[in-house]
């Protein structure tokens, strides 16, 4: 699966004996240093937040590592099936319920408002 700044690949974690999703984040070569630093700052913040969460409806983050100066990889729990965007298009009436539940979960965990990342939310129970 390919998004704006990343590609996701299915891989097998021999240590954990499980399939994982490896999300390769590619920084654009034309980005100025300030934009690159800002992107990395937000990525580290997201990593710290997601790593601290343990909930059945939130994708687990197992690891992150640098590939080179322009890319890094996050190793995530592998979720079989379609992505959240596909699921929401199929179940439009559930969109606001899912969004509200997600915001509530994050706010309860951090006692503040935090931006929601769609790839962090599982589409099954």
């Amino acid at each position: 699966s390919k998004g704006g700044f990343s590609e996701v690949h299915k891989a097998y974690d021999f240590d954990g004996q499980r399939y994982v999703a490896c999300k390769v984040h590619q920084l654009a070569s034309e980005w100025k240093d300030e934009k690159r630093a800002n992107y990395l700052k937000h990525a580290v913040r997201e990593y710290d937040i997601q790593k601290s969460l343990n909930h059945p409806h939130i994708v687990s983050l197992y690891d992150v590592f640098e590939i080179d100066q322009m890319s890094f990889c996050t190793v995530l729990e592998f979720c079989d099936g379609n992505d959240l965007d596909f699921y929401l298009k199929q179940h439009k009436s559930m969109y606001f319920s899912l969004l509200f539940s997600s915001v509530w979960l994050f706010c309860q965990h951090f006692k503040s408002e935090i931006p929601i990342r769609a790839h962090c939310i599982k589409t099954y129970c």
Side-chain angles (χ1 to χ4, degrees), residues 15-33:
D15 291 336
Q17 298 292 303
R18 62 190 169 206
Y19 283 102
V20 294
C22 292
K23 186 173 184 180
V24 178
H25 305 262
Q26 183 68 44
L27 283 67
S29 60
E30 65 271 5
W31 285 358
K32 295 184 189 284
D33 289 342

Side-chain angles (χ1 to χ4, degrees), residues 4-7 23-29 31 39 67-72:
F5 299 106
S6 61
E7 290 186 24
K23 186 173 184 180
V24 178
H25 305 262
Q26 183 68 44
L27 283 67
S29 60
W31 285 358
Y39 179 87
I67 298 171
D68 57 35
Q69 288 186 334
M70 297 301 288
S71 58
F72 64 96

Side-chain angles (χ1 to χ4, degrees), residues 1-3 6-9 83:
S1 169
K2 187 170 183 164
S6 61
E7 290 186 24
V8 179
H9 303 276
D83 64 11

Side-chain angles (χ1 to χ4, degrees), residues 22-80:
C22 292
K23 186 173 184 180
V24 178
H25 305 262
Q26 183 68 44
L27 283 67
S29 60
E30 65 271 5
W31 285 358
K32 295 184 189 284
D33 289 342
E34 183 179 338
K35 184 172 183 174
R36 189 175 308 143
N38 193 42
Y39 179 87
L40 291 173
K41 179 180 90 173
H42 283 77
V44 168
R45 179 172 175 246
E46 183 177 318
Y47 167 82
D48 289 340
I49 292 168
Q50 194 172 357
K51 186 77 173 165
S52 70
L53 296 175
N54 182 14
H55 190 276
H57 298 293
I58 304 230
V59 174
S60 296
L61 176 65
Y62 299 129
D63 200 4
V64 63
F65 59 91
E66 183 179 330
I67 298 171
D68 57 35
Q69 288 186 334
M70 297 301 288
S71 58
F72 64 96
C73 178
T74 51
V75 182
L76 305 157
E77 175 183 7
F78 178 76
C79 298
D80 234 345

